[in-house]
Amino acid sequence: MSEDVIADLSAALMRLKQNAAINVKGKFKINLSTVCKEAGRHRSAIKKHPKFDRLREEIRAATEVQERERDELKKVRAQFSERLESLKADNANLEQWLEDAGQTIFRLHFQLKTLEDDREYILARVADARKTSRATNKVFEMMNFDELIARGGA
């Protein structure tokens, strides 16, 4: 009889180790209670009798392995969480930088448009001055103004 109990409990422990539980649902910790539940036995099935010592030791070892794995998983989750927070901060910084760059581009575009408008105004004033005064026209011809404007992209 006790050999059947040990066999049932050993098989249950093996299923729990392999995450192939039949009777235990959801997340579980490997311990005496869950092994007994998985085997379909009462908690008291593993008595303090010496014939169960080896099985109790296997359960204790499996519990330690599971706890180490959970601790390692917690560390990995913490590292991923820290990395995620770091990436979120980097993303916020990049979004701010992009917004600043967009504002700078807008400001520079506005300044360029203003300069182009000023240039057009000045060229129109020069053309008017050249038309109305021969002396002014002579000065501009001596400065080679038309060639300067052509090289400057007028």
Side-chain angles (χ1 to χ4, degrees):
M1 172 82 174
S2 65
E3 295 302 320
D4 292 341
V5 172
I6 291 174
D8 288 348
L9 293 169
S10 293
L13 176 60
M14 190 58 62
R15 287 193 303 273
L16 290 172
K17 285 181 181 179
Q18 297 170 348
N19 287 321
I22 298 170
N23 298 318
V24 177
K25 303 296 180 204
K27 294 181 180 181
F28 57 85
K29 291 183 178 181
I30 297 176
N31 56 36
L32 294 172
S33 294
T34 56
V35 172
C36 290
K37 184 175 181 179
E38 177 60 22
R41 304 279 183 166
H42 190 269
R43 282 184 59 194
S44 64
I46 302 178
K47 300 178 177 79
K48 298 248 181 205
H49 196 277
K51 63 184 172 185
F52 293 104
D53 285 348
R54 186 183 61 78
L55 184 59
R56 279 195 298 272
E57 186 54 41
E58 287 179 20
I59 293 171
R60 207 173 356 265
T63 301
E64 290 174 5
V65 168
Q66 188 181 46
E67 287 174 358
R68 277 195 306 273
E69 289 173 351
R70 284 188 178 161
D71 289 344
E72 194 61 35
L73 186 59
K74 284 180 184 178
K75 289 178 186 175
V76 170
R77 283 183 180 151
Q79 289 171 345
F80 277 122
S81 180
E82 288 173 13
R83 181 68 177 136
L84 178 62
E85 292 305 314
S86 172
L87 290 172
K88 284 180 179 178
D90 290 349
N91 188 46
N93 290 337
L94 289 172
E95 285 177 349
Q96 184 61 49
W97 179 82
L98 184 60
E99 183 179 331
D100 293 347
Q103 291 174 357
T104 300
I105 289 170
F106 178 77
R107 190 181 72 250
L108 291 173
H109 177 73
F110 180 76
Q111 289 174 351
L112 178 62
K113 181 66 177 140
T114 301
L115 289 172
E116 288 173 347
D117 291 347
D118 290 349
R119 180 178 178 273
E120 290 297 319
Y121 174 77
I122 290 170
L123 289 176
R125 298 283 296 169
V126 166
D128 288 344
R130 289 177 81 176
K131 288 179 189 174
T132 57
S133 169
R134 283 187 178 186
T136 305
N137 190 33
K138 276 289 191 202
V139 170
F140 282 113
E141 285 176 2
M142 288 174 27
M143 290 175 29
N144 212 2
F145 187 74
D146 293 328
E147 187 179 318
L148 290 173
I149 294 298
R151 274 192 270 157

